[in-house]
């Protein structure tokens, strides 16, 4: 790696060791107009990658220490119900953190209600009124999620007419094997419900100069300890702790340099608020940093979760002293909204360095990738207005409606979502229908009536699934594509356009067989009852095949006649101008003619000479 590249990486990702193998990270100052650097040397990018919205500023900037906490982006209802940050990233696993604050930036004294999704899965819900103080001070929320389509989507959904807000957005690529993803799979999002550091105050990126390669911040566990815990004692390491900052989780050394234990025979308990509908991944962090414990069996304790004994721990037996030891337990079938984690002594007193609790949120279904491509293409070609909120995944999350005017449902094996209906009637559209619409293989109904759409109808419009088609009162031109004749359409409304050409009999037969069809108001259409007869050799796409053949034959005959005329007038010469002798015979004949003309000339000269001498009478004088 070149020195210049090393310097660039150190500036772009200052909190990352250059030996860390993942170097994709974005720190976005939402609403910020310029790049900046905070007090911990993190480089923040000016606001970008958003679909819409407006920038704002908190009402009391002095309340916040860093610029990225003072600026914000909000999404008024005029920007649509759904708005997103869509960030191009390599596929992989990402730590994603948001900072959300209201601080009465709009002067309405009403914190908004909205939802947040990541990669099409609902992860955060903000409801007014927010918990006491959070509307003024703001709050960080974070999670781990996989990205497999080259784009990290963080989307915001307005509730009623409220405007979602966000102050900063961070994405840091992490080890894909972290937090035992091999067991959990790539289809789960780990949402932070508590990341505690025992025996210390809050630290990590955004709060101190301490480094965490994933970008995790660790809050003090003091407020989560049960009042029934024994008397607490803090312990600090007197020397370095080994086995830290290692793949795949890269837990920082600072986490294991402090710990909490209890004096006497008391237990140590943490109480964490949870959602009883979800499963949880509880990650424990231990290190034997008490020099008085120098052998196995001297400190042994049991771990209880919701009154269930899940493990017995002897740290020294596992890793020795001053070495990091971590493991996790998955909690299922919760019956309450409080998760109890209790360390009960067996020999000596329990000790703990840190605790993490993640909700295991199953990834929601997403739209089939080809259909996402089709819908994004239609968004551009149709000129869908911003107010309709066509951003992010067209169908996900399933907790929310799809894009306005779009209806989705799961595919047959319920592994993805597909588009079944599009209704954009009377929306002021002024574009055209993209050819990519052929990718919507599950589309049953398409209504684009009463707009100002133009261009020709794409050849792939008539999918086998399409049953209802209403393109009336637009400005479409050209012919009716043959693909519509091969479809299963039961309703075709194409009136009041500028279509032309012969109407396929299969289209007209829709009305004969119980369906409905309206082709009126297209002066150029012909060939079926109620429409004018088509000119000779006129087909649905202009000239029919027979007409093209007839024109071709006529053109050939005309060409032959013209060729004959040219032959007669310009090429044919007199008979004696043609001599079909062999080349040597032509040369001999030419020599013979030349001798004849020379002899004739000599005789004429001799006669003139004799006449001049008086020997020959001048015949011209008589």
């Amino acid at each position: 790696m070149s020195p210049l590249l090393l310097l660039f990486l150190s500036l772009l990702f200052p909190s990352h060791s250059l030996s860390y193998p993942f170097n994709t990270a974005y720190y976005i100052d939402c609403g910020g107009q310029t790049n900046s650097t905070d007090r911990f040397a993190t480089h923040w990018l000016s606001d970008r990658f958003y679909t819409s919205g407006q920038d704002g500023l908190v009402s009391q900037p002095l309340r916040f220490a860093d610029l990225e906490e003072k600026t914000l982006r909000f999404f008024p209802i005029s920007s649509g119900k759904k708005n997103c940050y869509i960030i191009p990233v390599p596929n992989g696993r990402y730590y994603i953190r948001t900072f959300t604050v209201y601080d009465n930036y709009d002067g309405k004294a009403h914190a908004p209600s909205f939802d947040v999704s990541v990669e099409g899965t609902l992860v955060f819900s903000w409801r007014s009124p927010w918990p006491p103080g959070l509307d003024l001070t703001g709050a960080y929320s974070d999670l781990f999620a996989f990205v497999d389509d080259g784009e990290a989507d963080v989307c915001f959904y307005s509730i009623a007419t409220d405007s979602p807000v966000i102050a900063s957005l961070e994405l840091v690529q992490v080890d894909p094997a972290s937090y035992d993803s091999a067991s959990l799979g790539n289809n789960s999002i780990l949402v932070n419900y508590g990341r505690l550091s025992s025996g210390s105050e809050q630290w990590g990126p955004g709060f101190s100069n301490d480094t965490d390669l994933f970008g995790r911040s660790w809050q003090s566990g003091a407020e989560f300890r049960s009042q029934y815990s024994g008397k607490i004692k803090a312990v600090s390491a007197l020397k370095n702790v080994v086995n830290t900052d290692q793949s795949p989780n890269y837990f920082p050394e600072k986490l294991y340099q402090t710990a909490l234990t209890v004096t006497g025979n008391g237990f140590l308990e943490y109480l964490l608020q949870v959602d009883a509908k979800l499963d949880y991944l509880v990650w424990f962090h231990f290190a034997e940093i008490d020099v008085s414990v120098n052998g196995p069996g001297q400190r042994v304790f049991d771990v209880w979760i919701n009154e269930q004994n899940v493990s017995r721990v002897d740290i020294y037996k596992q890793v020795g002293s001053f070495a990091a030891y971590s493991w996790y337990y998955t909690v299922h079938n919760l019956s309450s909204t409080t998760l109890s984690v209790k360390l009960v002594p067996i020999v000596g007193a329990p000790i703990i360095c840190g605790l993490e609790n993640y909700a295991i949120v199953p990834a929601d279904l997403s739209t089939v990738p080809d259909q996402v491509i089709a819908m994004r293409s239609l968004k551009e070609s149709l000129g869908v207005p911003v107010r309709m909120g066509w951003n992010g995944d067209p169908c996900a999350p399933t907790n929310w409606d799809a894009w306005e005017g779009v209806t989705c449902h799961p595919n047959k094996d319920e592994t993805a979502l597909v588009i079944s209906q599009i209704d954009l009637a009377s929306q002021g559209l002024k574009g055209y229908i993209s050819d990519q619409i052929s990718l919507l293989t599950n589309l049953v109904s398409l209504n684009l009536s009463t707009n100002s759409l133009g261009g020709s109808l794409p050849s792939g419009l008539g999918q086998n699934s399409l049953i209802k088609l209403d393109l009336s009162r637009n400005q479409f031109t050209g012919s009716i594509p043959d693909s519509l004749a091969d479809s299963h359409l039961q309703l075709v409304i194409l009136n009041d356009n500028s279509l032309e050409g012969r109407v396929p009999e299969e289209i007209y037969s829709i009305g004969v067989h119980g369906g409905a069809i309206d082709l009126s108001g297209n002066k150029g259409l012909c060939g079926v009852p109620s429409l004018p007869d088509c000119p000779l050799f006129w087909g649905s796409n202009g000239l029919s095949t027979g007409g093209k053949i007839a024109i071709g034959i006529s053109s050939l005959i005309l060409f032959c006649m013209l060729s004959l005329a040219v032959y007669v007038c310009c090429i044919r010469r007199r008979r004696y101008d043609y001599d079909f002798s062999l080349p040597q015979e032509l040369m001999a004949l030419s020599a013979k003619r030349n001798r004849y003309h020379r002899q004739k000339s000599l005789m004429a000269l001799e006669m003139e000479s004799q006449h001049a001498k008086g020997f020959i009478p001048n015949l011209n004088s008589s």
Side-chain angles (χ1 to χ4, degrees), residues 506-522:
E506 294 86 350
I507 293 291
Y508 178 74
S509 67
I510 292 173
V512 177
H513 294 93
I517 182 170
D518 187 350
L519 304 175
S520 62
N522 291 278

Side-chain angles (χ1 to χ4, degrees), residues 432-435 454-459 475-479 481 499:
Y432 62 96
I433 301 177
S434 168
D435 291 338
S456 59
L457 303 183
S459 58
Q475 300 167 12
F476 291 112
T477 59
S479 60
L499 299 172

Side-chain angles (χ1 to χ4, degrees), residues 529-577:
S530 77
L531 295 178
D533 292 334
C534 293
L536 185 64
F537 299 130
W538 194 257
S540 60
N541 294 311
L543 283 173
S544 66
T545 302
K548 293 176 182 178
I549 293 174
I551 290 178
I553 294 174
S554 300
S555 299
L556 180 60
I557 293 174
L558 180 60
F559 175 76
C560 293
M561 294 178 66
L562 288 173
S563 299
L564 180 61
V566 171
Y567 168 77
V568 172
C569 298
C570 301
I571 300 177
R572 186 177 180 187
R573 293 183 293 181
R574 291 173 297 176
R575 260 183 310 182
Y576 53 78
D577 288 334

